[in-house]
Amino acid sequence: MDEAVVGSGANGRPRPGLARGWTQGPAQEDASVMARTDVRCGGHRAGYPIHMLVVGDDSRHIAAPVTRDLSHAFPRLCLDRVDGIGDLAAYEASLRPGDHVLMGLVTSEVSDIDAMIEYAASIPVLTRVQWVVVTDKSEHRDLTGCMQSGALSSVLKAPWTVPLLAGQAYSTMVRYLRGCGYSQRQIRNLIADPPPFAVQGPLLEGLDRDEREVVMELLAGVERVLGQRPRLIIPEGTQLVTQGQPVGAVYLVLEGQVSLHRDSPQGEVLAHLATSGPLIGLVSLARAEDAFFTGETATEATVVRLTTEQLQIVISEDPSIGATLTALAIRSLTRRLMRAEDLHLQNAMLAEDLEAQKEALAATLEDLRATRAELVERARFAMLGELSAGIAHELNNPVTALVRAAKHLHEDVDAALAVPATASSREAMSRALTAPPRSTSVERALMKELLPVVGDRTLARRLVRAGIQGADGARALAQIPGGIDAYEAGARLGGSLRSVLAAGDRVIELTQSLKGYARPDAEDLKPVDVREGIDDVLRLTAHRVRGIRIDCDYEDVPLVRAHPAKLQQVWTNLIVNAAEAIEDENADLIAAAEASGGVPELPARGEAEALIRITVRPTPEGVAITVCDNGPGIDPGIVDKIMEPHFTTKAGRVRFGLGMGMSIVRSIIADHGGTLVICSHPGSTTMRISLPTQPQEEES
């Protein structure tokens, strides 16, 4: 041949910057014939030589001896060597059409092995090549990329043993040719059987070790046979093995953690982290199966990478380690199998329990629906009990006024009829019935005007209160015997009648507002102005909000279709709850001050007056109602709980109700297709209700 390996003793014409050619030896002629044997790859046929590429400049005396040992072990192959990454393009150009590179070997004389292998993958003839790394370094940080890409076949430590080097190279080439679709017979025809001294053998079967003591024993055995193994420093997030992908090596994790993930229909599931153990990939490698898990470093990790051949040579040299590995593997797999059977049995029992629970839950749901309807009815009666105290209080004042006015009517009518000045009495009565209230300054001016006419300040005050209009009227009354008394009697008569009418109107308003609570639940939905319902409730609950300013801010809003009685339950609950929160805060602060002998602290609102603000606004969907108070706020830990039935924060205080208020509020709003949102912090609690103009139909 006219080309030879530079530096290996072969003759020929070396290319500048490139050393390549046929290996020299007694089998050179046969190698030429075999190298040009018809081969198949990817469905194409071509006769071409078979190459093995070594990358290294021999600056550390590694590349040349490795090339020499490989040429002796595989005399049929063409051994090529280049100095580094800069020579790869020229090497590709030197290959003839149909040349085939089965394996690459790179030495630690290359400064960045990852970069070199990544660049080689961009060269078509080297794209699928796997690489053996031969190193004299104790650590490497430049093998992460090739490990993840699958381009790394093995890492060998210098000085190497020829059996291990030959066995590793042979296995790497066999994997490559099998990937191209070659049969075992075709592989033997191309590269022959492995040298008799090469380390070969089947994969170890059934190994699953995670006990650190045995792993360290394995590492010690490996290092007794192979010498100290390089520690690979792997950054966080590096995949050592990938689910469904071939496993080419076992990783002994000396430092750091590796997590094991497995894909499922619901996504990636973390199977192990702290329990993954220091041995990664052995089971899949030993059983010649693709990885069952994806093993990824959870922290920076220090690992030792061992291939099949390296494990085999250790077991060949020390059979006791193999026996220990096998025994522990069987025991570990047995534990896993028993655990799997237990889980299967538990799952079957859980499935039966779940089915029974589903049936029980269905029956419970039906009971809850019936109970909810009953609770709504009971809550209304509880609310009526709350309102009855207010109604009694509110009716007491107007009824008392009616009684007092009736007595005055009797007396004043009698006095008015006893004198002839009935005309002035009628005038005074009419004026008292219709005249608007006069300010204090106006009454003061009238007294100054009347005082010179009547000459008596007390009499002047009586006439002003009777509604006299000026000095002329006073003179006219003074000229009529008993005229002033008759005028006063008529004024009192008109005032009493006015009080009777006002009190009667007040009673009518209260009774009309109360009608909403007497309407049955089954009434049809009807158009409702929420503002009118809120005003009715404010009249009924006036006794509960004394000392609290009520600020109503209404805008024109559309009517909503609703049950008026149910909505009034909502407004009553929200307003009374807001008032009670303010009152209870004040009571608690006073009680605390009395207990400590100090001065009561300011409430959450500070020095601001107690306030409940109600706003009604239109929205694109309907109406938004907010009830905001400046009370103590709601503890964040119970905001969600206040919607639960029978939950109350009023323990220890005398209140009407069953602890169902906010639960009923939420239920009623939901029945009307609305929503309730609570926003609370010290000094402010806002209940925001949104109601659509067309609610959802209630369940029958």
Side-chain angles (χ1 to χ4, degrees):
M1 303 298 295
D2 59 354
E3 298 178 6
V5 178
V6 174
S8 64
N11 54 14
R13 299 186 304 277
R15 298 176 184 269
L18 177 68
R20 68 176 295 275
W22 294 102
T23 57
Q24 193 177 34
Q28 184 175 23
E29 182 176 354
D30 291 338
S32 176
V33 173
M34 292 303 298
R36 305 205 180 266
T37 301
D38 200 27
V39 298
R40 185 188 313 273
C41 185
H44 298 282
R45 288 180 173 272
Y48 56 87
I50 307 300
H51 297 259
M52 183 185 298
L53 173 63
V54 177
V55 182
D57 59 9
D58 203 39
S59 59
R60 302 165 77 122
H61 306 294
I62 300 175
V66 162
T67 305
R68 193 163 47 246
D69 288 345
L70 288 174
S71 67
H72 292 156
F74 302 102
R76 292 186 179 185
L77 302 185
C78 179
L79 264 293
D80 306 328
R81 181 167 68 81
V82 298
D83 289 342
I85 188 173
D87 299 321
L88 290 178
Y91 173 68
E92 179 194 24
S94 72
L95 294 174
R96 290 164 294 193
D99 282 6
H100 214 55
V101 180
L102 296 188
M103 190 196 86
L105 185 146
V106 57
T107 72
S108 54
E109 296 156 340
V110 175
S111 60
D112 190 341
I113 296 176
D114 258 345
M116 190 281 300
I117 293 178
E118 181 179 3
Y119 177 75
S122 67
I123 299 174
V125 73
L126 301 177
T127 298
R128 298 180 61 250
V129 166
Q130 284 198 313
W131 295 82
V132 174
V133 176
V134 178
T135 178
D136 60 354
K137 295 181 179 180
S138 60
E139 290 185 353
H140 270 279
R141 295 179 179 268
D142 57 349
L143 298 180
T144 302
C146 60
M147 280 197 303
Q148 292 201 91
S149 67
L152 180 63
S153 173
S154 176
V155 180
L156 303 180
K157 188 71 168 64
W160 58 90
T161 63
V162 175
L164 180 60
L165 174 66
Q168 190 66 74
Y170 187 83
S171 296
T172 301
M173 291 186 290
V174 167
R175 282 196 297 271
Y176 178 87
L177 291 171
R178 284 178 177 170
C180 292
Y182 286 91
S183 66
Q184 189 62 36
R185 182 182 61 81
Q186 291 172 319
I187 292 173
R188 286 197 300 270
N189 289 338
L190 285 173
I191 59 177
D193 290 326
F197 53 81
V199 176
Q200 295 290 312
L203 294 178
L204 299 174
E205 297 181 357
L207 298 182
D208 183 19
R209 298 287 303 277
D210 62 358
E211 286 82 355
R212 182 170 181 78
E213 180 181 352
V214 180
V215 170
M216 297 308 296
E217 180 184 342
L218 173 62
L219 179 60
V222 169
E223 293 190 331
R224 281 198 307 271
V225 177
L226 306 179
Q228 184 182 8
R229 302 297 304 148
R231 272 56 169 172
L232 309 182
I233 312 302
I234 309 299
E236 178 183 351
T238 302
Q239 288 189 0
L240 302 180
V241 294
T242 304
Q243 178 181 336
Q245 298 297 319
V247 177
V250 171
Y251 297 87
L252 302 180
V253 183
L254 305 182
E255 294 182 10
Q257 287 187 329
V258 177
S259 62
L260 298 183
H261 301 261
R262 182 161 177 80
D263 292 333
S264 71
Q266 285 73 37
E268 190 177 63
V269 177
L270 175 63
H272 297 281
L273 179 57
T275 59
S276 62
L279 192 60
I280 307 298
L282 181 59
V283 173
S284 298
L285 179 66
R287 298 178 64 191
E289 293 180 353
D290 293 340
F292 187 72
F293 291 105
T294 294
E296 181 176 311
T297 53
T299 62
E300 183 179 81
T302 301
V303 305
V304 172
R305 191 174 189 273
L306 299 173
T307 63
T308 305
E309 292 75 17
Q310 292 165 341
L311 290 174
Q312 180 64 28
I313 193 171
V314 171
I315 294 174
S316 298
E317 293 289 333
D318 190 352
S320 64
I321 294 180
T324 303
L325 285 173
T326 303
L328 289 176
I330 293 174
R331 187 169 64 185
S332 179
L333 290 174
T334 301
R335 286 197 304 268
R336 289 191 177 189
L337 178 61
M338 293 177 64
R339 177 58 179 162
E341 292 295 334
D342 288 341
L343 288 176
H344 179 73
L345 179 60
Q346 292 175 13
N347 287 338
M349 296 173 63
L350 287 174
E352 293 180 2
D353 291 343
L354 181 60
E355 190 63 30
Q357 290 177 10
K358 284 173 61 179
E359 295 177 359
L361 284 174
T364 302
L365 181 59
E366 291 300 323
D367 292 341
L368 285 175
R369 287 174 177 169
T371 303
R372 190 186 73 163
E374 181 180 352
L375 286 175
V376 170
E377 184 67 21
R378 291 184 179 181
R380 179 184 293 106
F381 284 107
M383 191 58 61
L384 284 174
E386 171 75 21
L387 293 174
S388 62
I391 294 171
H393 182 83
E394 291 296 323
L395 288 178
N396 181 65
N397 289 337
V399 169
T400 301
L402 284 173
V403 173
R404 187 180 302 113
K407 292 180 179 179
H408 291 166
L409 278 175
H410 182 303
E411 297 170 356
D412 292 337
V413 169
D414 183 74
L417 294 178
V419 297
T422 55
S424 60
S425 298
R426 292 179 64 191
E427 179 186 351
M429 181 180 67
S430 177
R431 185 173 289 119
L433 278 171
T434 58
R438 290 188 298 203
S439 65
T440 304
S441 60
V442 172
E443 291 184 345
R444 208 178 284 122
L446 278 174
M447 285 186 63
K448 288 182 180 180
E449 184 181 350
L450 295 180
L451 190 57
V453 176
V454 298
D456 184 347
R457 179 175 294 277
T458 301
L459 181 58
R461 183 179 294 109
R462 287 169 53 193
L463 289 174
V464 169
R465 290 179 178 176
I468 197 71
Q469 294 300 306
D472 293 341
R475 289 191 189 97
L477 289 176
Q479 295 174 1
I480 302 173
I484 293 177
D485 292 335
Y487 192 86
E488 281 187 298
R492 287 195 299 270
L493 179 62
S496 296
L497 288 174
R498 186 169 184 168
S499 296
V500 170
L501 293 174
D505 290 340
R506 174 65 172 160
V507 172
I508 292 172
E509 289 176 357
L510 290 173
T511 55
Q512 287 179 341
S513 299
L514 186 60
K515 286 181 180 179
Y517 287 94
R519 297 182 186 128
D521 273 348
E523 66 177 341
D524 294 334
L525 294 170
K526 59 181 61 179
V528 174
D529 187 336
V530 296
R531 297 171 297 181
E532 293 180 359
I534 293 173
D535 281 342
D536 285 344
V537 170
L538 286 174
R539 281 193 292 271
L540 289 169
T541 58
H543 68 291
R544 298 308 307 275
V545 294
R546 295 199 187 282
I548 301 174
R549 183 163 66 89
I550 305 297
D551 185 358
C552 295
D553 183 5
Y554 300 155
E555 292 184 7
D556 290 337
V557 293
L559 301 179
V560 298
R561 290 186 59 79
H563 295 288
K566 289 187 175 182
L567 288 187
Q568 285 188 269
Q569 282 185 266
V570 172
W571 315 139
T572 303
N573 269 292
L574 298 183
I575 293 169
V576 170
N577 282 349
E580 289 180 349
I582 295 172
E583 294 170 359
D584 293 344
E585 181 186 27
N586 293 335
D588 290 342
L589 293 175
I590 293 172
E594 291 177 349
S596 63
V599 178
E601 297 181 2
L602 288 176
R605 64 179 179 275
E607 296 182 353
E609 66 176 324
L611 172 67
I612 297 175
R613 180 177 176 82
I614 303 171
T615 63
V616 180
R617 298 282 188 271
T619 66
E621 296 80 18
V623 180
I625 304 97
T626 61
V627 179
C628 180
D629 67 78
N630 59 356
I634 303 173
D635 187 336
I638 65 171
V639 169
D640 294 333
K641 293 183 179 179
I642 66 173
M643 295 296 183
E644 297 176 1
H646 305 296
F647 180 84
T648 178
T649 60
K650 303 169 183 176
R653 294 189 174 93
V654 178
R655 300 291 191 206
F656 290 95
L658 303 173
M660 298 297 299
M662 293 306 297
S663 175
I664 296 300
V665 165
R666 180 179 63 175
S667 176
I668 292 173
I669 292 172
D671 287 344
H672 286 79
T675 59
L676 169 61
V677 177
I678 302 175
C679 180
S680 183
H681 57 81
S684 176
T685 297
T686 300
M687 306 281 182
R688 178 183 173 86
I689 299 96
S690 297
L691 293 174
T693 53
Q694 294 295 329
Q696 299 174 354
E697 292 297 328
E698 291 186 294
E699 296 179 1
S700 57

